[in-house]
């Protein structure tokens, strides 16, 4: 009942007008608030903004922004404060949207490190602007998404990176054994505003929506207390940016379809599959020219290449060179996973085993939900063994001296002779013999019903199904 009451309270905020003002206007015989603001009322088929401000659309946008969480913008408002703010100010905000006078605030500059080096610049809008962007995006996406290319998989409903990787695998299996790997240099920072607005204007006839999208593009970025204007690009960090990127690159998709190429695109990652190196080089030259001249985008020549799929990575995966190619985890993705695990399992962190296990489990669940799509179980089994070894080493380090190690081993059920023999060893790998690995695993990690020496590991089909919900729970 509480959830239903809360939903009703939020929906009451998304009313057509304030409840206290409409009766007052009718009694006094004056114009309504809507008439005073001179709200633009385009023809019925052009009322996009009314659809943006519709109650159910706003409610869905609010739930999405709340679920995504995220950090505050330049005004410091948190996601948890949005509901109260909307209850108090939504009628005025709605009138500004309907009259085409709403002005978004500048985005907050945030820099995050890239896996391959350098930094990625994000623009974090305020929570209110994120809510409005989400409402606009939902309306545009309902109209636009059905018209996008079937080769486009990024940031679209009912499409995923796994589908893109599987499609690439099909092309390779069909004999397209060369890939044209295109990397767009700073794509989100180089989108041409005029071309983007022209593409949107060919479908969106509501000038209020066009003005609002243009305002979001040109709102500027606040960095070190100063606001700099945005002449090009779509700031990463807002809900509207992914859809705008798909609109820009839809022209690339149509060009590749016109040329009858086999390709897969996920956001700005685009792979074209051909049958020979010579064909790949010709495609690379032609498509680079098209991107530069037509879309005014720059191809990163250092990261783009024509090569065998086994030599390249796509969305964290690469492919084997067999006749029936297998999906495998790209070496860089595996290396980054190990680096993160090393940070979480440092022996000098000074936290309890239970806490470390909980943090590691949370990371591994997310990692496995994505990279579990690979078809190389031996790699996962090796990673599983390496993780367990690091955890045993960390536990052995925390026990420190021989007497404490002996007491802990006896507490785990190890016999006196084996416990005494093992407690004097300095290195972790010296004591992981004669069944001790099995006892330590049973006591600290998930309860697989067989010794580790004969188990398929937590990534194996049977064992993983048993512990997938309580992965490494202490």
């Amino acid at each position: 009942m509480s959830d239903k009451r809360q939903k009703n309270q939020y929906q009451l905020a998304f009313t057509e007008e304030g409840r206290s003002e409409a009766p007052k206007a009718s009694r006094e015989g004056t114009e309504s608030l809507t008439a005073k603001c001179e709200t633009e009322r385009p023809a019925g088929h052009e009322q996009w903004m009314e659809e943006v401000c519709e109650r159910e659309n706003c409610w869905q946008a609010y739930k999405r922004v709340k679920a995504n969480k995220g950090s505050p913008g330049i005004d410091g408002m948190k996601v948890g404060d949005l509901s109260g703010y909307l209850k108090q100010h939504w009628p005025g905000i709605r009138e500004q949207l309907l009259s085409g006078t709403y002005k978004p605030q500048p985005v907050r500059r945030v820099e995050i490190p890239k896996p391959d080096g350098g930094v990625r610049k994000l623009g974090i809008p305020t929570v209110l602007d994120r809510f409005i962007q989400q409402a606009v995006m939902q309306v545009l996406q309902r109209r636009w998404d059905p018209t996008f290319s079937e080769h486009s998989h990024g940031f679209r409903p009912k499409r995923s990176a796994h589908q893109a990787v599987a499609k690439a695998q099909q092309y390779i299996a069909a004999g397209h054994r060369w890939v044209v790997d295109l990397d767009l240099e700073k794509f989100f920072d180089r989108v041409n505003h005029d071309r983007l607005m022209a593409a949107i204007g060919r479908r969106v006839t509501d000038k209020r929506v066009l003005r609002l999208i243009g305002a979001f593009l040109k709102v500027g970025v606040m960095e070190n207390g100063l606001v700099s204007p945005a002449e090009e690009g779509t700031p990463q960090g807002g809900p509207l940016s992914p859809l705008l990127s798909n609109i820009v690159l839809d022209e690339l998709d149509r060009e590749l379809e016109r040329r009858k190429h086999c390709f897969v695109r996920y956001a700005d990652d685009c792979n074209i599959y051909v049958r020979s190196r010579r064909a790949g080089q010709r495609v690379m030259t032609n498509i680079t020219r098209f991107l530069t001249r037509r879309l005014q985008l720059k191809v990163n020549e250092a990261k783009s290449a024509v090569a065998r799929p086994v030599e390249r990575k796509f969305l964290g995966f690469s492919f084997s060179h067999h006749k029936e190619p297998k999906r495998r985890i790209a070496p860089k993705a595996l290396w980054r996973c190990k680096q993160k695990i090393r940070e979480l399992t440092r022996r000098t962190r000074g936290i309890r085993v239970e806490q470390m296990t909980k943090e590691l489990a949370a990371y591994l669940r997310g990692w496995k939900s994505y990279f579990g799509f690979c078809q190389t179980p031996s790699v996962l089994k090796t990673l599983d063994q390496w993780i367990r070894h690091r955890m045993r080493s960390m536990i052995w380090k925390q026990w420190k001296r021989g007497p404490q190690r002996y007491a802990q081993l006896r507490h785990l059920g190890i016999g006196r002779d084996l416990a005494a023999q093992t407690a004097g060893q300095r290195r972790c790998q010296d004591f992981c013999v004669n069944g001790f690995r099995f006892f330590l695993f049973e006591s600290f990690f998930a309860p697989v019903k067989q010794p580790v020496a004969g188990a398929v590991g937590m990534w194996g089909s049977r064992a993983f199904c048993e512990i997938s919900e309580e992965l490494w729970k202490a």
Side-chain angles (χ1 to χ4, degrees):
M1 290 298 294
S2 60
D3 293 341
K4 184 176 181 180
R5 187 181 301 112
Q6 185 183 31
K7 177 178 179 180
N8 290 336
Q9 290 175 351
Y10 290 150
Q11 288 184 341
L12 286 175
F14 303 133
T15 53
E16 298 297 323
E17 297 176 354
R19 286 178 175 246
S20 61
E21 293 150 344
K24 181 177 179 181
S26 62
R27 286 195 304 268
E28 297 176 357
T30 58
E31 294 181 341
S32 65
L33 179 62
T34 304
K36 289 180 179 179
C37 292
E38 297 182 357
T39 302
E40 294 184 18
R41 296 286 185 181
H45 66 282
E46 297 179 343
Q47 294 183 1
W48 291 64
M49 188 60 78
E50 279 73 15
E51 189 175 347
V52 170
C53 297
E54 193 267 335
R55 177 185 300 178
E56 184 60 28
N57 185 64
C58 290
W59 170 242
Q60 295 298 328
Y62 169 78
K63 289 196 298 183
R64 176 59 63 182
V65 171
K66 184 178 180 182
N68 290 341
K69 300 179 181 179
S71 57
I74 63 172
D75 61 352
M77 182 192 297
K78 299 181 179 179
V79 174
D81 303 329
L82 178 61
S83 62
Y85 186 86
L86 289 176
K87 290 177 185 178
Q88 184 176 0
H89 298 94
W90 173 245
I93 296 171
R94 182 178 184 277
E95 288 303 325
Q96 292 179 32
L97 292 172
L98 292 176
S99 62
T101 59
Y102 180 82
K103 296 183 182 297
Q105 299 187 62
V107 298
R108 180 170 62 90
R109 172 68 73 206
V110 174
E111 295 182 352
I112 60 174
K114 289 184 178 181
D116 299 331
V119 295
R120 177 177 285 110
K121 295 184 178 182
L122 303 180
I124 307 300
T126 64
V127 175
L128 178 60
D129 286 342
R130 293 209 295 269
F131 164 74
I132 296 175
Q133 283 192 31
Q134 180 67 33
V136 173
M137 187 275 293
Q138 291 171 175
V139 173
L140 295 181
Q141 191 173 61
R142 283 195 292 267
R143 310 284 185 90
W144 233 296
D145 190 76
T147 67
F148 283 146
S149 169
E150 63 177 8
H151 302 278
S152 171
H153 297 267
F155 308 114
R156 297 182 60 189
K158 299 181 181 181
R159 289 178 177 263
S160 66
H162 288 171
Q163 293 175 344
V165 173
K167 191 65 177 178
Q169 185 180 14
Q170 293 177 14
Y171 288 140
I172 299 171
H176 300 82
R177 298 283 174 164
W178 290 87
V179 58
V180 180
D181 189 355
L182 290 170
D183 183 272
L184 299 179
E185 183 175 338
K186 297 181 179 179
F187 166 71
F188 287 92
D189 298 332
R190 295 181 182 275
V191 171
N192 184 276
H193 288 176
D194 294 335
R195 290 193 58 84
L196 174 58
M197 292 305 300
I200 298 174
R202 284 193 287 269
R203 298 195 188 184
V204 178
T205 54
D206 193 329
K207 295 182 179 179
R208 298 167 298 176
V209 175
L210 293 175
R211 280 199 297 267
L212 182 60
I213 296 175
F216 280 126
L217 290 175
K218 300 180 181 296
V219 72
V221 179
M222 176 172 285
E223 192 171 8
N224 299 324
L226 300 176
V227 178
S228 56
E231 301 297 335
E232 60 180 2
T234 61
Q236 296 186 71
L240 195 56
S241 181
L243 177 62
L244 298 181
S245 68
N246 276 334
I247 293 175
V248 171
L249 294 177
D250 185 58
E251 191 171 351
L252 171 63
D253 296 340
R254 300 306 175 190
E255 180 66 16
L256 294 175
E257 288 177 345
R258 187 184 67 82
R259 301 186 184 197
K260 298 182 180 180
H261 288 311
C262 297
F263 71 99
V264 183
R265 185 178 66 80
Y266 190 95
D268 58 333
D269 291 328
C270 183
N271 279 8
I272 308 170
Y273 294 89
V274 296
R275 295 183 180 274
S276 67
R277 177 188 290 273
R278 183 177 179 180
Q281 292 173 343
R282 182 176 64 253
V283 170
M284 172 70 80
T285 302
N286 293 336
I287 298 303
T288 300
R289 185 186 302 115
F290 173 83
L291 289 168
T292 304
R293 296 181 179 179
R294 180 75 67 84
L295 301 185
Q296 300 180 17
L297 298 173
K298 184 177 181 181
V299 175
N300 189 331
E301 297 182 0
K303 295 184 178 180
S304 301
V306 177
R308 296 285 190 180
V310 68
E311 301 171 2
R312 309 296 294 180
K313 66 179 180 68
F314 181 55
L315 302 178
F317 291 90
S318 62
F319 302 94
S320 66
H321 54 74
H322 300 94
K323 183 177 181 180
E324 292 294 332
K326 301 294 183 181
R327 298 184 298 270
R328 64 180 190 178
I329 304 173
K332 285 187 178 181
L334 196 60
W335 178 81
R336 287 196 294 267
C337 174
K338 287 188 174 183
Q339 287 295 101
K340 181 64 176 180
I341 294 173
R342 288 188 179 99
E343 294 177 8
L344 294 174
T345 58
R346 285 200 317 270
R347 302 176 185 178
T348 57
R349 289 191 66 190
I351 62 175
R352 294 177 59 84
V353 177
E354 294 80 4
Q355 178 63 26
M356 183 179 292
T357 302
K358 184 180 297 185
E359 295 177 5
L360 181 60
Y363 173 74
L364 290 177
R365 285 193 191 99
W367 191 88
K368 191 269 170 185
S369 66
Y370 183 77
F371 287 103
F373 190 60
C374 76
Q375 297 174 314
T376 52
S378 60
V379 175
L380 298 178
K381 183 178 179 180
T382 302
L383 179 63
D384 170 38
Q385 295 171 350
W386 179 78
I387 293 172
R388 295 179 191 278
H389 171 72
R390 285 196 62 86
M391 292 299 294
R392 290 192 298 270
S393 300
M394 185 273 299
I395 294 169
W396 194 246
K397 181 74 173 180
Q398 285 191 347
W399 286 350
K400 295 183 179 179
R401 300 183 180 278
Q404 184 179 358
R405 291 173 178 172
Y406 176 81
Q408 293 287 353
L409 294 175
R410 291 290 293 143
H411 179 69
L412 292 175
I414 306 297
R416 292 184 178 181
D417 294 340
L418 181 58
Q421 176 184 357
T422 306
Q425 302 294 331
R426 295 182 59 187
R427 295 174 62 88
C428 172
Q429 53 265 40
D430 292 336
F431 73 85
C432 294
V433 294
N434 298 330
F436 175 67
R437 182 187 298 183
F438 165 67
F439 285 99
L440 187 61
F441 171 72
E442 288 287 336
S443 301
F444 280 91
F445 304 123
V448 175
K449 303 303 182 182
Q450 56 183 349
V452 171
V456 293
M458 73 173 184
W459 304 103
S461 59
R462 187 193 62 79
F464 185 77
C465 287
E466 292 180 0
I467 65 174
S468 59
E469 295 298 326
E470 298 183 21
L471 182 62
W472 284 14
K473 180 181 289 186

